[in-house]
Structure formats: structure tokens, C-alpha cells
């Protein structure tokens, strides 16, 4: 049976020491989130993650959801766990106090989300989708819609979904056929079929609020004709309570590789009553609010599954004895040494440790930037942070899920044959991690979004500002003997990222296929440099703590060792990514279509 221990100490280090969130006490939300409150939230979050959600993870995966004529029943224990989750106020943690929320900083919500997802990814998706629906209605809904739906979503007695994909179209939503027919009372009749709808039907909440993309009859063709609608499972009555059953139903649930305890539904809308959210034919604007929140959440899922897998891989490596150390016996009282003495096992565990701790810092750093973009009174600071969040969102989603899956596989490898056996639990982490690379926009789409939209946005303002920040950070630390082993490899990585960016600017416009061919390598190059930036900051903070002579010296020393491993073992991959992206599109596009597939 796998285990999970929430990394509260590491989260406290990043939040308090590296990011210094106490500095933002003048901002709304932060003023109520002193160090004692932050620590209390983390500790209570750890309790529900470890004691309530984690014990249901493997049994829920094995049982899966049950489908019976449009009704979905979640696995044993899920309803009770959701009730505990709601009674603890967790859905309201970062929500607007005007609608019953606690108004805590988003960065703290990111930390809690990691714990919940690591403990039980399938369970965490039910409230996770609700948060996305909350964000879309909060930003784009009318006052009437906000007052009706948001208190219920914040309380957790209603949940939410997002309905985009249809059987004949995936990412190309301009091809969708779901239609919306205007009615005299201002509502619309929604008709069509949506697929891959996470938490589309279940037994956890009193109502499910579906946000559905559809085309208003007679509207423009393509993506410019798409609108977004609120389509509740039960139409709220005059008192705002679930009333008449709407004309929608789950047609089936998917039988999937992973996240088996989350109901992934085919949703059929048969003249269902819906209400427009936002403007006509501007549905993607509102939906992207939901999708961007979801993409950051999915990035955290990649980190979370890597963390859970790493913990179990490390525990096994310290316990399993096999062979003797290459440098001499380490456990003379045993028949063999624990496999953690072997360099290749160390390679996998160090890679996992360096990734998870660096990715956690990047996720929390991004969460803080979201807070500043929403809460800082200075419009210039808000704009600058909006820029950087937009820029790094595809990186957080794409890089953290690609590497998160790789780390889960590495942790599974540490168990050898046992990693392939269900009872040990590692194979579930691998299966669950895999979907994060696919949904909310595949990672190939994230890479295209990064190079095609985010880099050139506002004349490249965001990436140029980021380069300025990185070079300034390096320059201010030149000559710092404590950072001498780390600065040169980090500076080389930054230079490669800048070189890759210039190559795209020079070669992507003249031949768009160059940009497409380079996109994934560029995203990974960017992700490695971003983690390097986090490790440089964590190492500097750890050095300062050691000099102060307070706290757990072993914790800070481990940070320094891991930072050096990242800089010397992982960051050099930036050179390979740069070489591959600069090779251009010709080597990818030369073969004819008939030369792919089975050999003649």
C-alpha cells in the first residue's frame, strides 16, 4: 500500500523564506494570512490529504465510478470524504468574501491543491473543476448570475464543469456543432453532445453547473461564432434551490487508463435550458478564464503525482536490500546494501527530488504573481504580473506535466518489478500522471501557445521583461562565493533561452513550421531555466539560513546539494533543446505522408 506525507516543511520554506509572503501584508487577503494562519492552513490541509483522501486513492482507483442509466455513483467513501472537505471550508479558501469565500491568497491555494492532488488526484478533480467554473462566472457573469451561482460553488454544495470537446473535434473548437437557440425569455435551448467531461455527473453535490460552449443559431462560422452558457443540471427555482431537472444527461462514462475514480462523461444536451455568460460570440474569452485556471491546476497535478511517486520510490530504495555498494559495503550487518547506495538509483531519486522541489517553487512563485496581478494597487505592477502569468502558464502546464510523468516513471523504476504490480501503487501514479499531459490542451498545444501567442504578445513585452529580471538577478550576485558553483551553469541556461528566443523571432515568422517544430524543445528549455531560477533563489536562501545558525541545518544543506545537482545534471539539457530547436523544420517535414505507417 502506497503512502503520502504532505511536504509542509518545504512549502513553508518556499512561502515564508524564499517568496517572503509576509512582505505583502498590505494587500487584501495577505493581511489576514499571517505566518501562523498560513502554517495552520498547511497543517490542516495535510491532515485531510493524508488521513481522509490518501486512504481512498488506491481503493477508489480499483473500484472506479459506477454508471447506471445516466446516474453516476462515485467509489465507496468519496461522498463522506467530500462532505468532510466541504465542512472544512476548503472550496472557499481563496474565493471572494462577497460570495462566502475566505479570500486567502491564491499562492496558498496552490499549496493546498498540490497536497489534495498528490493524496488523491481523481477526488481533487471534483472541486477543482468547480473552481474553474467559479472563476469564469466571477469574471464574466452578470450580477444576477454571480449572486445565484457563486455562493453555492464557494460552499461546495454545487459543483461545476467545463464542456468544450465534441466527438468530431478536439482542440479545433471552431468545428463544434452544439447549437444554442434563443428563447423569448432570454434563455437558450442547448442541443448537442460533449465528450471527455470530467465530473460531468456524480453523487457528491446537490447540483452540477455545466459551462457549455455552443454556437448561437445564425451566428458567425468558426471560433468567432462560439458563445458560453450556464446550463445547470437542476434549474434553480425562485428561492435559488435546485428545481426542475434540465434536459441533459450523461450518456456514458469513459473507461480510462487512469483517474478511474473521477467520472469522465459523455454529456447529451437535448434542448436543455441555458443562459448566456459574457457576450454573444465571445465565448472563448470567458472559457479561457476557466481554462487558464485549469491549466495551472493541471501543472500542479503533474508536480503532485511526481511528489507522491518520489516519496514511495525513496522509501522503497532505503528499505530494499540488493547487491553491494561499488565503493564498499555500507550495511555489513545485512545480507546486502539498500539499493539507495547505487549511483543509478541515486540518479533517479535526485532527479525526482530536484524536479519536485523546483517545480513546487515555480508553482508557488506563479501563484504569488497571480495574487499581485489581482491585488496590488499599482496598475503597472498588476500589468507586469499579468504579463508574466500569461507567459509562464503554458510552461507550468506543459513542462511540469511532461517532467512529472517522467519522474513518476523513474520512481516506479526504483521498485523494479514491484513497481509494475498494482498493490505497490506506483503504477497508479504513472497512469494518473499521464492524463495531465493531454487534457486542458495537450502539451503540444501548450508549446504552440507559448511560441505563437505568448512570446510575441505586446511586442514581446513579457519575455523581454523576464530576461531583464534574470540578468539583473545574475548581475547582483556576481562575485558571491557561496553561489559560485551555481551561477555559471544558470547563466549559460539563460543565454541559451535568449538565443532560442531570438532564433524563433528570426526564423518563425519567415516559416511558421520552424516555430511549430521548435515549440516543444523551446518549452522545455524555458521550463529548465525557470526551475534553475527557483533553485538559485532557494540556494541563496538556504545559505543565509545556515549562516544565521537557526533552524534545521540538514534541511538547508540538502537544498544546496540538490541545487548543485540540478545545475550540473539537469540544466545542461538546455544545450540539447537549443540544438534541436535550431535545426528547424526541414528534418521533420521532409517525408511524404505515404512514407509513414507500416512498411511496404
Amino acid at each position: 500500500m502506497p503512502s503520502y506525507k504532505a511536504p509542509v516543511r518545504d512549502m513553508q520554506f518556499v512561502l515564508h523564506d524564499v517568496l517572503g509572503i509576509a512582505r505583502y501584508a498590505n494587500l487584501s487577503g495577505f493581511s489576514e494570512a499571517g505566518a501562523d494562519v498560513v502554517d495552520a492552513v498547511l497543517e490542516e490541509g495535510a491532515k485531510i490529504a493524508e488521513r481522509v483522501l490518501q486512504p481512498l486513492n488506491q481503493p477508489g482507483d480499483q473500484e472506479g465510478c459506477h454508471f447506471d442509466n445516466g446516474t453516476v455513483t462515485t467509489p465507496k467513501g468519496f461522498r463522506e470524504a467530500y462532505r468532510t472537505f466541504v465542512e472544512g471550508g476548503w472550496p472557499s479558501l481563496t474565493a471572494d468574501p462577497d460570495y462566502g469565500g475566505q479570500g486567502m491568497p491564491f499562492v496558498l491555494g496552490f499549496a493546498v491543491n498540490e497536497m489534495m492532488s498528490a493524496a488523491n488526484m481523481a477526488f481533487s478533480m471534483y472541486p477543482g473543476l468547480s473552481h474553474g467554473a467559479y472563476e469564469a462566472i466571477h469574471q464574466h457573469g452578470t450580477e444576477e448570475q454571480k449572486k445565484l451561482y457563486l455562493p453555492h460553488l464557494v460552499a461546495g454544495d454545487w459543483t461545476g464543469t467545463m464542456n468544450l470537446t465534441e466527438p468530431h473535434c478536439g482542440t479545433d473548437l471552431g468545428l463544434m456543432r452544439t447549437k444554442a437557440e434563443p428563447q423569448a425569455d432570454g434563455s437558450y435551448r442547448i442541443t448537442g453532445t460533449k465528450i471527455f467531461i470530467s465530473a460531468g455527473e456524480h453523487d457528491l453535490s446537490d447540483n452540477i453547473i455545466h459551462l457549455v460552449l455552443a454556437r448561437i443559431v445564425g451566428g458567425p462560422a468558426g471560433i468567432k461564432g462560439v458563445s458560453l452558457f450556464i446550463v445547470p443540471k437542476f434549474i434553480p427555482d425562485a428561492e435559488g434551490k435546485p428545481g426542475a431537472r434540465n434536459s441533459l444527461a450523461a450518456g456514458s462514462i469513459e473507461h480510462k487508463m487512469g483517474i478511474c475514480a473521477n467520472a469522465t462523461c459523455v454529456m447529451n444536451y437535448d434542448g436543455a435550458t441555458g443562459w448566456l455568460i459574457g457576450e454573444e460570440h465571445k465565448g472563448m474569452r470567458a472559457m479561457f478564464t476557466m481554462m487558464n485556471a485549469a491549466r495551472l491546476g493541471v501543472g500542479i497535478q503533474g508536480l503532485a503525482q511526481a511528489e507522491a511517486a518520489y516519496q514511495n520510490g525513496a522509501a522503497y530504495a532505503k528499505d530494499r536490500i540488493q547487491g553491494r555498494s561499488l565503493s564498499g559495503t555500507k550495511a555489513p550487518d545485512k545480507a546486502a546494501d539498500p539499493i539507495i547506495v547505487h549511483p543509478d538509483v541515486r540518479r533517479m531519486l535526485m532527479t525526482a527530488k530536484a524536479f519536485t522541489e523546483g517545480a513546487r517553487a515555480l508553482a508557488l512563485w506563479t501563484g504569488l504573481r497571480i495574487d499581485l496581478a489581482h491585488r496590488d494597487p499599482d496598475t503597472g505592477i498588476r500589468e507586469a504580473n499579468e504579463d508574466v502569468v500569461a507567459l509562464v502558464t503554458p510552461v507550468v502546464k506543459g513542462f511540469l506535466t511532461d517532467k512529472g510523468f517522467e519522474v513518476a516513471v523513474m520512481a516506479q523504476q526504483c521498485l523494479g518489478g514491484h513497481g509494475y504490480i498494482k498493490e505497490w501503487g506506483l503504477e497508479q501514479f504513472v497512469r494518473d500522471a499521464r492524463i495531465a499531459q493531454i487534457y486542458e490542451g495537450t502539451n503540444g498545444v501548450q508549446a504552440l501557445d507559448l511560441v505563437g501567442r505568448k512570446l510575441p504578445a505586446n511586442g514581446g513585452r513579457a519575455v523581454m521583461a523576464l530576461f531583464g529580471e534574470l540578468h539583473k538577478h545574475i548581475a547582483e550576485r556576481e562575485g558571491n562565493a557561496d553561489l559560485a558553483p551555481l551561477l555559471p551553469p544558470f547563466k549559460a541556461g539563460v543565454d541559451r533561452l535568449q538565443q532560442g528566443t531570438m532564433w524563433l523571432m528570426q526564423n518563425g515568422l519567415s516559416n511558421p513550421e520552424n516555430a511549430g517544430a521548435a515549440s516543444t524543445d523551446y518549452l522545455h528549455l524555458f521550463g529548465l531555466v525557470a526551475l534553475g531560477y527557483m533553485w538559485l533563489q532557494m540556494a541563496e536562501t538556504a545559505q543565509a539560513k545556515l549562516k544565521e545558525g537557526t533552524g534545521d541545518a540538514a534541511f538547508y544543506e540538502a537544498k544546496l546539494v540538490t541545487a548543485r545537482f540540478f545545475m550540473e545534471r539537469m540544466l545542461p539539457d538546455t544545450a540539447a533543446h537549443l540544438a534541436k530547436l535550431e535545426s528547424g523544420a526541414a528534418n521533420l517535414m521532409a517525408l511524404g505522408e505515404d512514407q509513414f505507417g507500416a512498411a511496404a
Side-chain angles (χ1 to χ4, degrees), residues 323-441:
R324 289 296 187 187
S325 168
L326 297 174
S327 59
T329 299
K330 297 296 186 290
D333 57 326
K334 297 180 180 179
D337 289 332
I339 63 172
I340 198 168
V341 306
H342 301 310
D344 196 58
V345 174
R346 286 294 186 107
R347 173 188 62 83
M348 293 185 286
L349 292 176
M350 285 298 296
T351 299
K353 180 177 176 63
F355 168 74
T356 54
E357 294 178 17
R360 177 172 303 115
L362 178 60
L364 296 177
W365 180 86
T366 303
L368 178 58
R369 294 298 176 273
I370 294 174
D371 280 309
L372 296 176
H374 282 80
R375 305 174 194 263
D376 198 284
D378 187 309
T379 56
I381 292 176
R382 289 202 305 273
E383 180 183 83
N385 282 282
E386 286 171 1
D387 282 352
V388 76
V389 170
L391 179 66
V392 303
T393 290
V395 179
V396 170
K397 196 283 185 184
F399 183 72
L400 266 56
T401 59
D402 274 350
K403 299 303 289 187
F405 177 75
E406 289 179 20
V407 165
V409 171
M410 284 184 181
Q412 181 190 37
Q413 188 75 11
C414 289
L415 273 69
H418 292 302
Y420 204 67
I421 304 301
K422 283 185 178 292
E423 66 187 85
W424 289 85
L426 271 293
E427 58 84 36
Q428 183 188 346
F429 299 134
V430 171
R431 288 187 290 107
D432 286 354
R434 185 64 183 91
I435 185 58
Q437 298 171 282
I438 298 172
Y439 60 13
E440 304 305 341

Side-chain angles (χ1 to χ4, degrees), residues 214-238:
R215 189 183 308 283
I216 296 175
V217 174
I223 202 68
K224 294 181 179 180
V226 171
S227 301
L228 184 64
F229 300 88
I230 299 174
V231 189
K233 176 181 176 180
F234 295 101
I235 298 174
D237 62 19

Side-chain angles (χ1 to χ4, degrees), residues 49-380:
E50 295 167 5
R51 302 176 187 178
V52 178
L53 303 186
Q54 194 277 334
L56 297 175
N57 192 37
Q58 193 173 43
D61 174 71
Q62 293 169 353
E63 180 185 348
C65 291
H66 306 276
F67 181 80
D68 181 20
N69 193 31
T71 299
V72 172
T73 305
T74 52
K76 182 179 178 180
F78 268 51
R79 289 192 69 184
E80 294 78 9
Y82 186 74
R83 191 175 306 118
T84 300
F85 183 83
V86 167
E87 289 173 353
W90 295 105
S92 68
L93 184 65
T94 61
D96 189 338
D98 288 345
Y99 303 100
Q102 299 176 54
M104 290 287 106
F106 295 114
V107 65
L108 183 57
F110 275 31
V112 171
N113 288 347
E114 183 201 329
M115 289 190 257
M116 303 302 175
S117 184
N120 193 322
M121 179 170 161
F123 177 93
S124 71
M125 291 172 64
Y126 291 103
L129 270 296
S130 300
H131 180 72
Y134 160 87
E135 289 287 351
I137 296 172
H138 189 262
Q139 291 195 38
H140 301 282
T142 64
E143 288 303 314
E144 182 181 9
Q145 289 170 341
K146 293 177 187 179
K147 290 177 182 178
L148 175 58
Y149 294 106
L150 293 185
H152 290 290
L153 291 170
V154 170
D157 57 322
W158 294 4
T159 56
T161 72
M162 53 193 297
N163 286 234
L164 287 75
T165 307
E166 300 184 6
H168 60 284
C169 70
T171 302
D172 190 353
L173 296 173
L175 300 175
M176 71 171 51
R177 297 170 184 162
T178 298
K179 64 180 181 179
E181 301 172 279
Q183 303 299 297
D185 63 358
S187 67
Y188 291 77
R189 288 173 57 85
I190 310 299
T191 302
T193 297
K194 298 289 185 177
I195 63 170
F196 303 155
I197 309 307
S198 299
E201 176 63 33
H202 55 78
D203 59 350
L204 302 182
S205 62
D206 298 333
N207 203 358
I208 302 174
I209 310 305
H210 301 286
L211 268 62
V212 183
L213 282 180
R215 189 183 308 283
I216 296 175
V217 174
I223 202 68
K224 294 181 179 180
V226 171
S227 301
L228 184 64
F229 300 88
I230 299 174
V231 189
K233 176 181 176 180
F234 295 101
I235 298 174
D237 62 19
E239 298 180 354
K241 298 178 180 179
R245 183 72 155 83
N246 211 343
S247 300
L248 61 92
S252 63
I253 58 174
E254 304 291 353
H255 303 282
K256 311 186 296 292
M257 175 180 174
I259 53 169
C260 299
N262 190 271
T264 305
C265 301
V266 174
M267 297 299 300
N268 296 318
Y269 296 87
D270 186 14
T273 301
W275 289 268
L276 181 70
I277 177 172
E279 302 177 48
E280 286 189 359
H281 317 313
K282 303 291 185 182
M284 289 308 297
R285 181 181 301 170
M287 182 56 78
F288 267 118
T289 295
M290 192 172 184
M291 287 183 68
N292 285 333
R295 285 171 174 174
L296 291 168
V298 170
I300 291 173
Q301 288 179 343
L303 157 62
Q305 295 310 294
E307 173 66 30
Y310 161 65
Q311 288 187 18
N312 285 272
Y316 182 89
K318 288 186 278 188
D319 182 66
R320 172 73 166 179
I321 60 170
Q322 190 165 314
R324 289 296 187 187
S325 168
L326 297 174
S327 59
T329 299
K330 297 296 186 290
D333 57 326
K334 297 180 180 179
D337 289 332
I339 63 172
I340 198 168
V341 306
H342 301 310
D344 196 58
V345 174
R346 286 294 186 107
R347 173 188 62 83
M348 293 185 286
L349 292 176
M350 285 298 296
T351 299
K353 180 177 176 63
F355 168 74
T356 54
E357 294 178 17
R360 177 172 303 115
L362 178 60
L364 296 177
W365 180 86
T366 303
L368 178 58
R369 294 298 176 273
I370 294 174
D371 280 309
L372 296 176
H374 282 80
R375 305 174 194 263
D376 198 284
D378 187 309
T379 56

Side-chain angles (χ1 to χ4, degrees), residues 306-597:
E307 173 66 30
Y310 161 65
Q311 288 187 18
N312 285 272
Y316 182 89
K318 288 186 278 188
D319 182 66
R320 172 73 166 179
I321 60 170
Q322 190 165 314
R324 289 296 187 187
S325 168
L326 297 174
S327 59
T329 299
K330 297 296 186 290
D333 57 326
K334 297 180 180 179
D337 289 332
I339 63 172
I340 198 168
V341 306
H342 301 310
D344 196 58
V345 174
R346 286 294 186 107
R347 173 188 62 83
M348 293 185 286
L349 292 176
M350 285 298 296
T351 299
K353 180 177 176 63
F355 168 74
T356 54
E357 294 178 17
R360 177 172 303 115
L362 178 60
L364 296 177
W365 180 86
T366 303
L368 178 58
R369 294 298 176 273
I370 294 174
D371 280 309
L372 296 176
H374 282 80
R375 305 174 194 263
D376 198 284
D378 187 309
T379 56
I381 292 176
R382 289 202 305 273
E383 180 183 83
N385 282 282
E386 286 171 1
D387 282 352
V388 76
V389 170
L391 179 66
V392 303
T393 290
V395 179
V396 170
K397 196 283 185 184
F399 183 72
L400 266 56
T401 59
D402 274 350
K403 299 303 289 187
F405 177 75
E406 289 179 20
V407 165
V409 171
M410 284 184 181
Q412 181 190 37
Q413 188 75 11
C414 289
L415 273 69
H418 292 302
Y420 204 67
I421 304 301
K422 283 185 178 292
E423 66 187 85
W424 289 85
L426 271 293
E427 58 84 36
Q428 183 188 346
F429 299 134
V430 171
R431 288 187 290 107
D432 286 354
R434 185 64 183 91
I435 185 58
Q437 298 171 282
I438 298 172
Y439 60 13
E440 304 305 341
T442 65
N443 285 357
V445 170
Q446 302 305 312
L448 287 173
D449 179 48
L450 176 63
V451 303
R453 298 176 62 186
K454 301 304 170 58
L455 285 186
N458 301 307
R461 184 176 69 196
V463 73
M464 291 301 106
L466 181 61
F467 282 134
E469 178 179 336
L470 295 176
H471 286 301
K472 181 173 183 287
H473 195 85
I474 292 168
E476 290 174 347
R477 285 149 185 83
E478 293 284 3
N480 184 330
D482 292 335
L483 298 178
L486 309 180
L487 277 174
F490 177 64
K491 185 178 185 302
V494 172
D495 290 344
R496 290 175 189 129
L497 179 60
Q498 197 156 12
Q499 185 177 336
T501 304
M502 294 304 298
W503 187 92
L504 280 168
M505 291 180 176
Q506 294 167 1
N507 296 276
L509 292 176
S510 60
N511 180 3
E513 286 185 341
N514 278 333
S519 59
T520 291
D521 281 297
Y522 183 81
L523 183 144
H524 278 255
L525 171 54
F526 200 125
L528 285 166
V529 171
L531 258 63
Y533 188 32
M534 298 302 108
W535 271 115
L536 194 60
Q537 294 177 71
M538 288 191 287
E540 185 173 17
T541 304
Q543 281 284 9
K545 289 293 182 181
L546 284 171
K547 288 182 177 180
E548 289 174 9
T550 59
D552 183 357
F555 175 87
Y556 300 122
E557 288 165 356
K559 287 292 179 190
L560 296 176
V561 172
T562 310
R564 186 162 185 169
F565 173 88
F566 180 86
M567 297 296 188
E568 295 177 354
R569 279 273 183 164
M570 297 176 68
L571 197 56
D573 286 350
T574 54
H577 289 302
L578 177 62
K580 287 188 285 186
L581 76 85
E582 289 184 334
S583 72
N587 51 26
L588 293 181
M589 309 304 293
L591 284 182
E593 291 181 15
D594 59 347
Q595 293 175 290
F596 289 90

Side-chain angles (χ1 to χ4, degrees), residues 36-51:
D36 55 341
V37 173
V38 169
D39 289 347
V41 169
L42 294 177
E43 288 161 6
E44 290 303 312
K47 289 177 183 177
I48 189 172
E50 295 167 5
R51 302 176 187 178

